Amino acid sequence: MTWNVFRSLRQIAPERWRPALWSKAFSSHEAPTDLAASVKLWPSVEPPLGLLVHGDEGASEVDILIEAAIWVWFIEAKYGSDISLGTTTRPDRDQVLRNIDVGSYYAGVRPFYFSLLGISERKSPQGLAKAKAYSNFATVRSALQGHRPDGLANLTAVGTLTWKDLAAVLQVAAESDARADEKEYATRAFEWLDGKGLARDGV
């Protein structure tokens, strides 16, 4: 599902969908003016070096990485499952916290944004609860202070998205004055989500 939707979005001009998706994830944050961002699926991202001092941790596979020269956005996508609540070496290092930590470190001096993408609170209760808790940056900084002396200064927003949000964005793109091929990509992706019942069912 992630592949079908975000592969389609990669074929559509960013101004047709990125501001709309941004507003659904981060309604209180203005969308970046730099829309020339790449969309990568499942890249491998190394953990912060400070974390390795107290035990090994492998690279994280990020579901969706959207990045521009001046900002970075990680999206963790969930469909029929919830987040993992820990790793082998760190049982309290849940998947949302790990994404925020790794993403903030990867972004460097660029503002960093994180979203959890899911269907509903019933499907991903732990994930949504963690995402809401970590929207309080003090909670994140307290949990990661042992290996992040920078205090995650570039952490800018933590939000949530639903597949219904994605469907709405695709529908707008399909009905816009985009090129015919872009409208076709958007229409197909929307219909695919709608066929799975995700265009109308959200959080």
Side-chain angles (χ1 to χ4, degrees):
M1 184 159 57
T2 300
W3 171 254
N4 280 332
V5 171
F6 284 91
R7 178 187 59 176
S8 297
L9 289 175
R10 285 197 303 199
Q11 308 303 316
I12 303 169
E15 63 268 20
R16 307 289 183 194
W17 62 272
R18 210 161 287 159
L21 187 62
W22 188 278
S23 68
K24 291 183 179 297
F26 312 115
S27 58
S28 60
H29 291 264
E30 187 175 351
T33 55
D34 182 4
L35 295 176
S38 63
V39 179
K40 299 175 184 177
L41 300 178
W42 304 296
S44 180
V45 181
E46 294 297 321
L49 291 176
L51 193 66
L52 303 181
V53 174
H54 303 292
D56 189 27
E57 178 167 301
S60 294
E61 186 178 81
V62 180
D63 288 337
I64 303 107
L65 165 57
I66 306 175
E67 68 174 322
I70 59 173
W71 55 271
V72 175
W73 183 6
F74 275 20
I75 301 175
E76 175 69 23
K78 292 297 179 185
Y79 176 48
S81 64
D82 208 341
I83 63 167
S84 61
L85 294 178
T87 67
T88 302
T89 56
R90 296 178 177 84
D92 58 345
R93 186 169 165 80
D94 66 77
Q95 198 169 13
V96 173
L97 186 65
R98 183 175 181 177
N99 266 267
I100 293 172
D101 186 18
V102 170
S104 168
Y105 186 77
Y106 171 86
V109 299
R110 294 175 291 177
F112 173 70
Y113 303 82
F114 172 80
S115 296
L116 179 71
L117 168 61
I119 297 176
S120 67
E121 193 168 359
R122 182 175 61 85
K123 289 284 188 179
S124 302
Q126 296 281 0
L128 289 171
K130 292 293 186 181
K132 291 175 182 176
Y134 296 144
S135 64
N136 180 344
F137 296 169
T139 302
V140 177
R141 288 165 178 151
S142 175
L144 302 176
Q145 62 183 343
H147 66 277
R148 291 297 302 272
D150 63 316
L152 292 86
N154 64 348
L155 181 57
T156 307
V158 175
T160 58
L161 286 165
T162 66
W163 291 102
K164 180 181 177 181
D165 291 332
L166 264 295
V169 169
L170 287 163
Q171 188 171 33
V172 169
E175 295 172 352
S176 71
D177 58 352
R179 300 194 318 257
D181 60 328
E182 293 178 323
K183 295 174 73 169
E184 180 64 21
Y185 285 123
T187 299
R188 286 180 183 177
F190 172 81
E191 290 177 347
W192 192 81
L193 285 175
D194 193 33
K196 292 188 172 292
L198 297 177
R200 297 176 176 82
D201 298 329
V203 174

